[in-house]
Every structure is written in structure tokens, then in C-alpha cells.
Amino acid sequence: MQCVENVSRQNCPVCMEDIHTSRIGAHVLSCGHLLHKTCFEDMCRTGAYRCPLCMHSAFNMEEFWEQRDMEIAQSPMPTEYQDTKVKIICNDCQARCTVAFHVLGMKCSTCGSYNTAQDGGLIAPPAIDARQPAEQPLEEETDAQHRE
Ligand SMILES: [Zn+2]
Ligand SMILES: [Zn+2]
Ligand SMILES: [Zn+2]
């Protein structure tokens, strides 16, 4: 857990220089971390959206995540990955969840953020040939043979 009292004594996480002795104003991120106003602007310019210290989203990302939802809906994963799951840790709400694996991003099922980190490897669905013998009734096999 972050200790708020220590936060103000920390150096700017972008340029590593002191914030309080600097003439440049400070910017407070939504997580409570401070950085120079100019360093924050640099961060925005380079497309960084997370606090460099705690990885919490530095902006209101709702619209961005909606956009991501759409992109993901439009680009389904190849069939072999469709049932693949992965464990994630959410950088925004710290929740751990198991969600569908997607190259464009994994959405936290607790807060809806895509600001998540993969926790471990992919979890493959049960192998197809392992579940087939149990589920497939014998009649079907005979039917298939008849059709041939
Ligand atoms: Zn700085
Ligand atoms: Zn932070
Ligand atoms: Zn979350």
C-alpha cells in the first residue's frame, strides 16, 4: 500500500529530480503521486497513460476502454485461442481475475479497465480429444459410419 505522507517526499518519477525545490509546478495524478507538470505533459505526448510509480491509470480511461471493447469485438482471436484464459492483475483496482486471452488487451472483470498485467502463462481449455470420448455418445459414431 502507498503511504500518502511519503508521496510528497518522492522525486519526480519521470526525470528523478526533486519536485519541491523545482520551479516547475507539480501535477497530482489521480492515484496521488506527484510529478512535474512538464513531465506529465511529456508523458501525455508519448502516449503513456499510467502513473510510472504505481501503474494506476492517470486519466479517465472510460472512453478509451470502450474503444478497446469495440476493437476486440471486431477482431476475434483465432479459433485455437478462443477458449484460452489468462490470469490478470488489474493495475487500477488490484483485483485478480481470470479472463479470456486477447492480444489487444485483457479487461478487468471487476472495474472494466484494460490497464492489467498478465499473471502467469496462458490457460489452455481442456484438450479437445480429452473431452470428446466422454461426451460423444456411441450412436453418433455409428451414424457417421452410415453416412460414409
Ligand atoms: Zn520531472
Ligand atoms: Zn501512482
Ligand atoms: Zn480492475
Side-chain angles (χ1 to χ4, degrees), residues 86-138:
V86 69
K87 280 187 190 164
I88 56 163
I89 303 174
C90 178
N91 287 317
D92 282 342
C93 72
Q94 312 303 316
R96 286 162 184 268
C97 27
T98 305
V99 298
F101 170 69
H102 200 289
V103 279
L104 291 180
M106 268 74 77
K107 188 186 177 91
C108 168
S109 45
T110 304
C111 73
S113 171
Y114 279 98
N115 181 3
T116 58
Q118 192 176 321
D119 179 25
L122 301 181
I123 306 161
I128 289 165
D129 36 62
R131 64 184 170 185
Q132 251 179 359
E135 285 172 16
Q136 206 173 44
L138 267 172

Side-chain angles (χ1 to χ4, degrees), residues 12 24 27 34 39 64 94 106 110 128 134 138 143 146-147:
C12 170
I24 308 161
H27 179 89
L34 291 172
C39 290
F64 192 80
Q94 312 303 316
M106 268 74 77
T110 304
I128 289 165
L138 267 172
D143 275 351
H146 281 303
R147 259 180 254 132

Side-chain angles (χ1 to χ4, degrees), residues 12 14-16 36 39:
C12 170
V14 178
C15 65
M16 303 302 162
H36 294 117
C39 290

Side-chain angles (χ1 to χ4, degrees), residues 1 4-5 21 25 29 31 43 51 56 62 69 87 90 92 98 103 107-108 116 123-124 130 134 141-143 146:
M1 281 289 118
V4 181
E5 272 178 52
T21 58
L29 297 173
C31 55
M43 211 180 97
C51 169
H56 201 280
E62 254 172 62
D69 280 340
K87 280 187 190 164
C90 178
D92 282 342
T98 305
V103 279
K107 188 186 177 91
C108 168
T116 58
I123 306 161
E141 247 173 64
T142 347
D143 275 351
H146 281 303

Side-chain angles (χ1 to χ4, degrees), residues 3 16 21 30 32 34 40 57 61 67-68 74 84 122 124-125 128 137-138:
C3 174
M16 303 302 162
T21 58
S30 51
L34 291 172
F40 176 69
S57 294
M61 300 298 288
Q67 180 80 30
R68 188 75 67 91
Q74 281 162 11
T84 304
L122 301 181
I128 289 165
L138 267 172

